[in-house]
Amino acid sequence: MTGGAPVLAIDIGGTKLAAGAVRPDGEIVAYDRAPTPAGDDPETLWNALEALLDGIPAEGIAGVGVGCGGPMTWPAAEVSPINIPSWRGFPLRERLRERYPGLPVRVHNDAVCVAVGEHWQGAARGCGNVLGMVVSTGVGGGLVLGGRLIDGASGNAGHIGHVVVDPEGPPCGCGGRGCLEAIARGPGLAAWARDQGWRRDQDDPTGADLAADARRGHPVAAAAMRRAGRALGIAIASATHLCDLEVVAIGGGVSQAGPLLFDPLEEALRAHARMDFARRVRVVPAALGQTAGLVGAAALIFEGGSYWNP
């Protein structure tokens, strides 16, 4: 614990950058966000992050907690996010330590931070065995088992987005085929729907546009959401059988589609989670919404005994 001092929390994803000051009770008392810049120059993204951080009060903070897309070396946090091609081996932790000298800087996968946030202060609070997921530009996850974050051999445990749910499915950015991420991530959903004849006026429609059309009854958009939900349900059934989960909390932009995604997810999950112990698992929206990653990043500092074991 860090007394009453806040933690500077940072969330770096393929679509947005977010930062905030988080109190020891999980309350975010300052917050801002910005789009993640496109392009191949790593310094362009770093400069955008610095500009965002300039607007967050840093005086008196107890440390810096960060969630960033993976994979990464851990705990050194040289990051190579699949959905941020400009950063390959980018020394994120070292850069932040230079900016905030003398403070602890802890970096973990962004989806891991969602899992931590939901376990610490959100929908999975009080449960010992939890999978937290992000379904957005990518699909990621983090595991809390026995009340402690599971890091794995290299700090990259929880990459449920790269569980194969359809061996004959589309190619994935990781180099595989038929990964959950390739099917359920927002850009993948939109691409599949376009191939099936879905059209929007704008040049680059998003997963949110697809969900909006599905709500209006567009048959291809609705089919795309069912396809994503089914893939998620299959992957969660496998994870539940492997890890004996109590709760799966799902956040991220695509998860905002609500029943369009969660109804087919539940149907597929119940069809595939056939062992008695697996049937008990609950799948819920992330209670902390779009700020779950920030809260979890702060917990890397506040609750290091449970969530930080490099």
Side-chain angles (χ1 to χ4, degrees), residues 273-303:
R274 307 301 294 181
M275 300 288 285
D276 285 345
F277 72 87
R279 292 173 181 162
R280 296 195 300 266
V281 70
R282 295 184 295 114
V283 180
V284 297
L288 302 176
Q290 300 296 84
T291 63
L294 286 180
V295 174
L300 300 178
I301 303 292
F302 286 130
E303 300 289 343

Side-chain angles (χ1 to χ4, degrees), residues 7-36:
V7 162
L8 174 64
I10 303 168
D11 186 12
I12 300 169
T15 302
K16 68 170 174 63
L17 311 173
V22 183
R23 297 187 350 179
D25 62 358
E27 181 184 356
I28 299 174
V29 293
Y31 174 80
D32 200 4
R33 61 182 288 173
T36 302

